[in-house]
Amino acid sequence: QVQLVESGGGSVQAGGSLRLSCAASGFTISANCMAWFRQAPGKEREGVVSIDWDGRTSNAASMKGRFMISRDNAKNTLYLQMNSLEPEDTAMYYCAAKTTLRCGGGIDYRYWGQGTQVTVSS
């Protein structure tokens, strides 16, 4: 059974940083596409950043340079380092996984975590 469990969310002031974690079980993150998404109240879910099996990453343009994805293969854990946070970054953040090597293409993300809330105050 595949499980993705996010943690690390919280409240922070604008300009601050947070690191989110996504612990995976029943699934090898280094052999598949992994990604972070977010959804703010009243808005559609949007992709934040993804990482292919070989480590190639792809950031959403608005978050490039501020948000960085990484993983610890030994811990089978995905991370999202968020710097220079803005109130507009307030959202529920989710990690997700595809059963493909690369994140590009039309195949949907199959596995999702329950989300962790990030709130940025001005």
Side-chain angles (χ1 to χ4, degrees), residues 27-33 52-53 71 73 98-101:
F27 187 83
T28 302
I29 67 170
S30 62
N32 294 278
C33 157
D52 293 345
W53 74 279
R71 65 187 183 211
N73 295 340
K98 288 189 182 186
T99 56
T100 57
L101 296 176

Side-chain angles (χ1 to χ4, degrees), residues 16-22 34-36 38 48-51 55-60 62-72 77-85 93:
S17 298
L18 280 174
R19 188 177 80 156
L20 307 184
S21 299
C22 172
M34 300 292 297
W36 288 96
R38 70 183 186 183
V48 174
V49 61
S50 63
I51 184 167
R56 185 174 73 176
T57 63
S58 179
N59 278 71
S62 63
M63 291 163 259
K64 203 166 186 177
R66 297 193 300 124
F67 290 10
M68 290 169 287
I69 192 171
S70 64
R71 65 187 183 211
D72 184 328
T77 299
L78 186 73
Y79 300 101
L80 178 64
Q81 178 67 43
M82 304 186 295
N83 300 322
S84 302
L85 283 162
Y93 284 73

